[in-house]
PDB file of all heavy atoms in Angstrom:
ATOM      1  N   VAL A  26     -16.612 -84.667  12.011  1.00  0.00           N
ATOM      2  CA  VAL A  26     -18.076 -84.835  11.599  1.00  0.00           C
ATOM      3  C   VAL A  26     -19.025 -84.692  12.759  1.00  0.00           C
ATOM      4  O   VAL A  26     -19.839 -83.810  12.780  1.00  0.00           O
ATOM      5  CB  VAL A  26     -18.207 -86.094  10.802  1.00  0.00           C
ATOM      6  CG1 VAL A  26     -19.727 -86.168  10.370  1.00  0.00           C
ATOM      7  CG2 VAL A  26     -17.374 -86.096   9.545  1.00  0.00           C
ATOM      8  N   LEU A  27     -18.964 -85.591  13.752  1.00  0.00           N
ATOM      9  CA  LEU A  27     -19.842 -85.565  14.808  1.00  0.00           C
ATOM     10  C   LEU A  27     -19.641 -84.478  15.814  1.00  0.00           C
ATOM     11  O   LEU A  27     -20.575 -84.016  16.475  1.00  0.00           O
ATOM     12  CB  LEU A  27     -19.839 -86.951  15.597  1.00  0.00           C
ATOM     13  CG  LEU A  27     -20.233 -88.225  14.758  1.00  0.00           C
ATOM     14  CD1 LEU A  27     -20.270 -89.375  15.683  1.00  0.00           C
ATOM     15  CD2 LEU A  27     -21.605 -88.002  14.066  1.00  0.00           C
ATOM     16  N   GLY A  28     -18.325 -83.972  15.928  1.00  0.00           N
ATOM     17  CA  GLY A  28     -17.957 -82.950  16.798  1.00  0.00           C
ATOM     18  C   GLY A  28     -17.691 -83.385  18.262  1.00  0.00           C
ATOM     19  O   GLY A  28     -17.870 -82.647  19.220  1.00  0.00           O
ATOM     20  N   MET A  29     -17.395 -84.653  18.398  1.00  0.00           N
ATOM     21  CA  MET A  29     -17.034 -85.251  19.687  1.00  0.00           C
ATOM     22  C   MET A  29     -15.592 -84.885  20.121  1.00  0.00           C
ATOM     23  O   MET A  29     -14.820 -84.449  19.259  1.00  0.00           O
ATOM     24  CB  MET A  29     -17.198 -86.800  19.746  1.00  0.00           C
ATOM     25  CG  MET A  29     -18.557 -87.243  19.615  1.00  0.00           C
ATOM     26  SD  MET A  29     -18.640 -89.047  19.678  1.00  0.00           S
ATOM     27  CE  MET A  29     -20.455 -89.376  19.875  1.00  0.00           C
ATOM     28  N   LYS A  30     -15.395 -85.065  21.349  1.00  0.00           N
ATOM     29  CA  LYS A  30     -13.967 -84.717  21.877  1.00  0.00           C
ATOM     30  C   LYS A  30     -13.269 -86.099  22.106  1.00  0.00           C
ATOM     31  O   LYS A  30     -13.905 -87.046  22.528  1.00  0.00           O
ATOM     32  CB  LYS A  30     -14.082 -83.978  23.199  1.00  0.00           C
ATOM     33  CG  LYS A  30     -14.770 -82.569  23.122  1.00  0.00           C
ATOM     34  CD  LYS A  30     -14.826 -81.928  24.424  1.00  0.00           C
ATOM     35  CE  LYS A  30     -15.581 -80.673  24.493  1.00  0.00           C
ATOM     36  NZ  LYS A  30     -16.987 -80.834  24.376  1.00  0.00           N
ATOM     37  N   ILE A  31     -11.979 -86.086  22.092  1.00  0.00           N
ATOM     38  CA  ILE A  31     -11.167 -87.251  22.569  1.00  0.00           C
ATOM     39  C   ILE A  31     -10.995 -87.069  24.054  1.00  0.00           C
ATOM     40  O   ILE A  31     -10.427 -86.171  24.581  1.00  0.00           O
ATOM     41  CB  ILE A  31      -9.771 -87.230  21.893  1.00  0.00           C
ATOM     42  CG1 ILE A  31      -9.809 -87.177  20.374  1.00  0.00           C
ATOM     43  CG2 ILE A  31      -8.969 -88.564  22.454  1.00  0.00           C
ATOM     44  CD1 ILE A  31     -10.535 -88.373  19.790  1.00  0.00           C
ATOM     45  N   LEU A  32     -11.678 -87.922  24.781  1.00  0.00           N
ATOM     46  CA  LEU A  32     -11.652 -88.003  26.225  1.00  0.00           C
ATOM     47  C   LEU A  32     -10.490 -88.545  26.973  1.00  0.00           C
ATOM     48  O   LEU A  32      -9.988 -88.032  27.870  1.00  0.00           O
ATOM     49  CB  LEU A  32     -12.962 -88.564  26.667  1.00  0.00           C
ATOM     50  CG  LEU A  32     -14.314 -88.087  26.152  1.00  0.00           C
ATOM     51  CD1 LEU A  32     -15.418 -88.949  26.544  1.00  0.00           C
ATOM     52  CD2 LEU A  32     -14.481 -86.581  26.613  1.00  0.00           C
ATOM     53  N   ARG A  33      -9.975 -89.610  26.358  1.00  0.00           N
ATOM     54  CA  ARG A  33      -8.756 -90.237  26.791  1.00  0.00           C
ATOM     55  C   ARG A  33      -8.271 -91.314  25.773  1.00  0.00           C
ATOM     56  O   ARG A  33      -9.055 -91.776  24.964  1.00  0.00           O
ATOM     57  CB  ARG A  33      -8.945 -90.922  28.239  1.00  0.00           C
ATOM     58  CG  ARG A  33     -10.047 -91.872  28.268  1.00  0.00           C
ATOM     59  CD  ARG A  33     -10.312 -92.316  29.700  1.00  0.00           C
ATOM     60  NE  ARG A  33     -11.555 -93.000  29.965  1.00  0.00           N
ATOM     61  CZ  ARG A  33     -11.525 -94.462  30.071  1.00  0.00           C
ATOM     62  NH1 ARG A  33     -10.449 -95.173  30.050  1.00  0.00           N
ATOM     63  NH2 ARG A  33     -12.755 -95.007  30.147  1.00  0.00           N
ATOM     64  N   HIS A  34      -7.056 -91.498  25.788  1.00  0.00           N
ATOM     65  CA  HIS A  34      -6.416 -92.412  24.865  1.00  0.00           C
ATOM     66  C   HIS A  34      -5.418 -93.361  25.638  1.00  0.00           C
ATOM     67  O   HIS A  34      -4.625 -92.836  26.396  1.00  0.00           O
ATOM     68  CB  HIS A  34      -5.700 -91.788  23.690  1.00  0.00           C
ATOM     69  CG  HIS A  34      -5.005 -92.813  22.791  1.00  0.00           C
ATOM     70  ND1 HIS A  34      -5.665 -93.437  21.785  1.00  0.00           N
ATOM     71  CD2 HIS A  34      -3.675 -93.095  22.760  1.00  0.00           C
ATOM     72  CE1 HIS A  34      -4.829 -94.258  21.136  1.00  0.00           C
ATOM     73  NE2 HIS A  34      -3.643 -94.080  21.749  1.00  0.00           N
ATOM     74  N   GLU A  35      -5.428 -94.618  25.476  1.00  0.00           N
ATOM     75  CA  GLU A  35      -4.552 -95.567  26.192  1.00  0.00           C
ATOM     76  C   GLU A  35      -4.057 -96.599  25.251  1.00  0.00           C
ATOM     77  O   GLU A  35      -4.763 -97.022  24.385  1.00  0.00           O
ATOM     78  CB  GLU A  35      -5.409 -96.249  27.376  1.00  0.00           C
ATOM     79  CG  GLU A  35      -5.808 -95.161  28.473  1.00  0.00           C
ATOM     80  CD  GLU A  35      -7.128 -95.571  29.060  1.00  0.00           C
ATOM     81  OE1 GLU A  35      -7.732 -96.658  28.882  1.00  0.00           O
ATOM     82  OE2 GLU A  35      -7.640 -94.742  29.877  1.00  0.00           O
ATOM     83  N   GLU A  36      -2.760 -96.901  25.405  1.00  0.00           N
ATOM     84  CA  GLU A  36      -2.041 -97.931  24.722  1.00  0.00           C
ATOM     85  C   GLU A  36      -1.774 -99.181  25.591  1.00  0.00           C
ATOM     86  O   GLU A  36      -1.377 -99.010  26.758  1.00  0.00           O
ATOM     87  CB  GLU A  36      -0.782 -97.327  24.106  1.00  0.00           C
ATOM     88  CG  GLU A  36      -0.867 -96.215  23.163  1.00  0.00           C
ATOM     89  CD  GLU A  36      -1.228 -96.763  21.762  1.00  0.00           C
ATOM     90  OE1 GLU A  36      -0.843 -97.874  21.372  1.00  0.00           O
ATOM     91  OE2 GLU A  36      -1.986 -95.980  21.033  1.00  0.00           O
ATOM     92  N   PHE A  37      -1.894-100.330  25.010  1.00  0.00           N
ATOM     93  CA  PHE A  37      -1.748-101.625  25.741  1.00  0.00           C
ATOM     94  C   PHE A  37      -0.856-102.511  24.910  1.00  0.00           C
ATOM     95  O   PHE A  37      -0.939-102.601  23.713  1.00  0.00           O
ATOM     96  CB  PHE A  37      -2.996-102.353  26.024  1.00  0.00           C
ATOM     97  CG  PHE A  37      -4.038-101.474  26.839  1.00  0.00           C
ATOM     98  CD1 PHE A  37      -4.853-100.642  26.115  1.00  0.00           C
ATOM     99  CD2 PHE A  37      -4.055-101.608  28.158  1.00  0.00           C
ATOM    100  CE1 PHE A  37      -5.795 -99.838  26.872  1.00  0.00           C
ATOM    101  CE2 PHE A  37      -4.957-100.808  28.898  1.00  0.00           C
ATOM    102  CZ  PHE A  37      -5.783 -99.944  28.303  1.00  0.00           C
ATOM    103  N   GLU A  38       0.103-103.225  25.588  1.00  0.00           N
ATOM    104  CA  GLU A  38       1.102-104.020  24.915  1.00  0.00           C
ATOM    105  C   GLU A  38       0.574-105.455  24.539  1.00  0.00           C
ATOM    106  O   GLU A  38       1.048-106.144  23.787  1.00  0.00           O
ATOM    107  CB  GLU A  38       2.491-104.201  25.718  1.00  0.00           C
ATOM    108  CG  GLU A  38       3.209-102.776  25.771  1.00  0.00           C
ATOM    109  CD  GLU A  38       3.558-102.244  24.297  1.00  0.00           C
ATOM    110  OE1 GLU A  38       3.959-103.092  23.481  1.00  0.00           O
ATOM    111  OE2 GLU A  38       3.397-101.096  24.134  1.00  0.00           O
ATOM    112  N   GLU A  39      -0.435-105.800  25.418  1.00  0.00           N
ATOM    113  CA  GLU A  39      -0.984-107.208  25.132  1.00  0.00           C
ATOM    114  C   GLU A  39      -2.511-107.116  25.347  1.00  0.00           C
ATOM    115  O   GLU A  39      -3.090-106.238  25.934  1.00  0.00           O
ATOM    116  CB  GLU A  39      -0.373-108.185  26.101  1.00  0.00           C
ATOM    117  CG  GLU A  39      -0.588-107.864  27.554  1.00  0.00           C
ATOM    118  CD  GLU A  39       0.244-108.795  28.463  1.00  0.00           C
ATOM    119  OE1 GLU A  39       1.226-109.320  28.083  1.00  0.00           O
ATOM    120  OE2 GLU A  39      -0.270-109.012  29.643  1.00  0.00           O
ATOM    121  N   GLY A  40      -3.232-108.167  24.877  1.00  0.00           N
ATOM    122  CA  GLY A  40      -4.701-108.235  24.858  1.00  0.00           C
ATOM    123  C   GLY A  40      -5.289-108.086  26.232  1.00  0.00           C
ATOM    124  O   GLY A  40      -4.684-108.477  27.268  1.00  0.00           O
ATOM    125  N   CYS A  41      -6.546-107.661  26.237  1.00  0.00           N
ATOM    126  CA  CYS A  41      -7.274-107.392  27.454  1.00  0.00           C
ATOM    127  C   CYS A  41      -7.745-108.756  28.133  1.00  0.00           C
ATOM    128  O   CYS A  41      -8.239-109.613  27.340  1.00  0.00           O
ATOM    129  CB  CYS A  41      -8.484-106.479  27.171  1.00  0.00           C
ATOM    130  SG  CYS A  41      -9.638-106.242  28.516  1.00  0.00           S
ATOM    131  N   LYS A  42      -7.703-108.870  29.459  1.00  0.00           N
ATOM    132  CA  LYS A  42      -8.156-110.057  30.112  1.00  0.00           C
ATOM    133  C   LYS A  42      -9.599-110.290  29.964  1.00  0.00           C
ATOM    134  O   LYS A  42     -10.157-111.463  29.998  1.00  0.00           O
ATOM    135  CB  LYS A  42      -7.837-110.003  31.630  1.00  0.00           C
ATOM    136  CG  LYS A  42      -6.416-110.208  31.959  1.00  0.00           C
ATOM    137  CD  LYS A  42      -6.204-110.416  33.483  1.00  0.00           C
ATOM    138  CE  LYS A  42      -6.415-109.098  34.296  1.00  0.00           C
ATOM    139  NZ  LYS A  42      -5.990-109.321  35.716  1.00  0.00           N
ATOM    140  N   ALA A  43     -10.394-109.187  29.680  1.00  0.00           N
ATOM    141  CA  ALA A  43     -11.823-109.358  29.462  1.00  0.00           C
ATOM    142  C   ALA A  43     -12.133-109.116  27.965  1.00  0.00           C
ATOM    143  O   ALA A  43     -13.327-108.915  27.634  1.00  0.00           O
ATOM    144  CB  ALA A  43     -12.536-108.287  30.205  1.00  0.00           C
ATOM    145  N   ALA A  44     -11.150-109.410  27.068  1.00  0.00           N
ATOM    146  CA  ALA A  44     -11.302-109.308  25.640  1.00  0.00           C
ATOM    147  C   ALA A  44     -12.014-108.024  25.167  1.00  0.00           C
ATOM    148  O   ALA A  44     -12.755-108.043  24.264  1.00  0.00           O
ATOM    149  CB  ALA A  44     -12.154-110.609  25.124  1.00  0.00           C
ATOM    150  N   CYS A  45     -11.562-106.956  25.857  1.00  0.00           N
ATOM    151  CA  CYS A  45     -12.164-105.647  25.449  1.00  0.00           C
ATOM    152  C   CYS A  45     -11.855-105.276  23.971  1.00  0.00           C
ATOM    153  O   CYS A  45     -12.601-104.613  23.382  1.00  0.00           O
ATOM    154  CB  CYS A  45     -11.556-104.534  26.362  1.00  0.00           C
ATOM    155  SG  CYS A  45     -11.637-104.802  28.083  1.00  0.00           S
TER     156      CYS A  45
END
Side-chain angles (χ1 to χ4, degrees):
V26 178
L27 297 186
M29 289 183 173
K30 301 179 183 74
I31 306 297
L32 304 172
R33 53 190 171 100
H34 176 81
E35 294 146 7
E36 295 279 332
F37 301 87
E38 292 302 318
E39 56 186 31
C41 171
K42 284 192 287 186
C45 311

